[in-house]
Amino acid sequence: MWALAPNASAQQKYAHVNSNEIKFITIDGKQSEVLVRSWQSKKQFGSVTIVGPSDTNADANGLASYLRTHINQRGWASISLTPAKGLYRPNYATKPEDISQAGNEQITVNTNKSTPKYTSEQLLELRNFQQASLSEAINQLGSTISLFPGANILVAIDDSAGMVTNLLYDKKIPIPDVFVVVNPYREFEYLIDPQSQRKSIAEQLVTMSLPILDIQSRDAHPISITEASTRLNYNQVKPARYYRQYQMSLDFTNQSGWEEALNQIEGFSRTVIGR
C-alpha cells in the first residue's frame, strides 16, 4: 500500500518535486520514496521504472532525473525507485590503530585496483542484503505499474544495472517488456569467494528472452567500458529486436547526452512494442 503524504524528511529532500508525485513503500521495515509521474502526452504507451546508481535518491542528478521528468511528454509514465544503499562504495581509509598492522591479512589485489576494507564474507553478506532490498522494492510496484496500461520498461543505471540483471536472471522480480541497462558493472565481484560469484553480466543477459537495450557511454565506470565488447559478443547472436548495444556519441556530463539516451530508449521501446 502506498503512503500518500510525504513526511518531513522527504519534503526536504524532494522540495523541488511536486508533493503528489512522492509515494512511499516499506523496505526492511523502513519507508523508501518512490516518485511517480504520470503521462503528459496524448500518447499513452505504458510506464518506465527507473533505478539509478546506488547511494543516490529517487531523483538522482543526471540521467535518472532527466528520464524521470522528460519521458512523460513522450507517452510514458515514470516510476523512480530509491536505489539500494551502496555496497560498492567501501571506505578505503586505514584506521589509525591499523597502521602498525600493515600487511596482516591483506587481500591480494592487482596494482591497478583499489583495495576495499571488506572480506569476501562481508562483501557477500552486503551484496545479498542490497539485492534483497532492491528485489523487495521492485516487487511492490505491480499495482502502480497497472495504473498505466501498456508496456513496462525497466531502466537500471551503473551498478544498479548489475544488480537488476542478476535479479532478472534469478527470476526474483517480474520480467519487463523491455530491459535497458546503462553502463552496467559490478565492482569487487572478483573479491568474493569464487563459488559465490555470480555469472558475468554478459552471460546473464544472453540467457534472457526479452528485448534488451545496452547503452554504453565513454564516461562510464572503467569496468563497464572494459566489459562492453564482451556483452556485445555474447549477445549479438540474438535478433536485433532482442539485443542492441548502443555506443553513445556523447557522455552523461550534460543534457545533450541524457537526451541522446532518452531518444535511444524511446526508439528501441517503440520498435519493440510496434508503436
Side-chain angles (χ1 to χ4, degrees):
M1 296 292 292
W2 291 112
L4 299 179
N7 58 29
S9 175
Q11 285 177 327
Q12 184 177 15
K13 185 188 305 182
Y14 297 106
H16 60 291
V17 177
N18 290 335
S19 59
N20 62 357
E21 296 179 10
I22 306 173
K23 315 297 180 186
F24 294 93
I25 55 178
T26 301
I27 306 298
D28 195 34
K30 299 178 181 178
Q31 279 194 331
S32 178
E33 294 92 354
V34 177
L35 303 183
V36 181
R37 188 177 171 91
S38 188
W39 297 303
Q40 295 182 358
S41 167
K42 293 181 179 179
K43 303 173 183 176
Q44 298 182 355
F45 298 128
S47 63
V48 177
T49 301
I50 302 166
V51 187
S54 67
D55 269 346
T56 61
N57 61 38
D59 193 40
N61 291 334
L63 178 62
S65 179
Y66 186 84
L67 291 177
R68 186 187 83 80
T69 55
H70 285 73
I71 205 162
N72 320 93
Q73 295 93 331
R74 304 194 185 194
W76 305 88
S78 59
I79 303 167
S80 300
L81 287 177
T82 300
K85 294 295 182 183
L87 162 61
Y88 302 124
R89 299 292 183 273
N91 175 11
Y92 300 116
T94 302
K95 294 180 180 179
E97 62 268 26
D98 291 339
I99 293 177
S100 62
Q101 302 174 19
N104 290 349
E105 299 183 357
Q106 288 186 348
I107 300 175
T108 301
V109 183
N110 293 338
T111 56
N112 65 336
K113 295 180 179 178
S114 301
T115 304
K117 201 168 69 176
Y118 286 133
T119 64
S120 171
E121 292 77 14
Q122 289 172 319
L123 282 168
L124 182 60
E125 181 180 3
L126 288 168
R127 186 191 80 186
N128 291 343
F129 175 80
Q130 187 185 44
Q131 291 213 154
S133 297
L134 187 55
S135 174
E136 186 177 356
I138 294 174
N139 278 302
Q140 291 186 55
L141 298 181
S143 59
T144 305
I145 291 173
S146 68
L147 296 175
F148 308 103
N152 173 238
I153 306 170
L154 177 55
V155 179
I157 303 169
D158 292 354
D159 57 338
S160 290
M163 287 184 277
V164 173
T165 297
N166 193 68
L167 292 174
L168 286 169
Y169 177 78
D170 285 343
K171 297 180 172 56
K172 296 287 184 64
I173 57 175
I175 303 298
D177 295 294
V178 178
F179 182 37
V180 181
V181 293
V182 182
N183 295 337
Y185 71 94
R186 294 178 184 139
E187 198 172 6
F188 302 132
E189 183 81 12
Y190 61 94
L191 292 176
I192 294 175
D193 180 80
Q195 292 183 340
S196 299
Q197 289 180 11
R198 296 165 288 191
K199 290 183 180 294
S200 71
I201 293 173
E203 291 175 296
Q204 292 184 338
L205 290 177
V206 77
T207 68
M208 298 180 189
S209 56
L210 75 159
I212 297 168
L213 174 62
D214 179 351
I215 295 178
Q216 185 69 53
S217 70
R218 294 171 295 181
D219 60 336
H221 191 284
I223 293 176
S224 181
I225 293 173
T226 299
E227 295 181 346
S229 59
T230 304
R231 299 196 308 271
L232 177 59
N233 289 338
Y234 270 75
N235 287 275
Q236 65 183 357
V237 298
K238 296 180 176 181
R241 182 180 183 276
Y242 282 91
Y243 181 83
R244 179 188 180 193
Q245 184 176 100
Y246 179 76
Q247 294 282 341
M248 295 276 295
S249 60
L250 302 172
D251 57 36
F252 290 139
T253 58
N254 56 60
Q255 182 171 325
S256 296
W258 309 334
E259 184 175 7
E260 182 181 353
L262 172 56
N263 289 338
Q264 292 302 314
I265 293 170
E266 181 195 22
F268 182 78
S269 299
R270 291 187 63 174
T271 297
V272 168
I273 67 174
R275 300 287 292 275

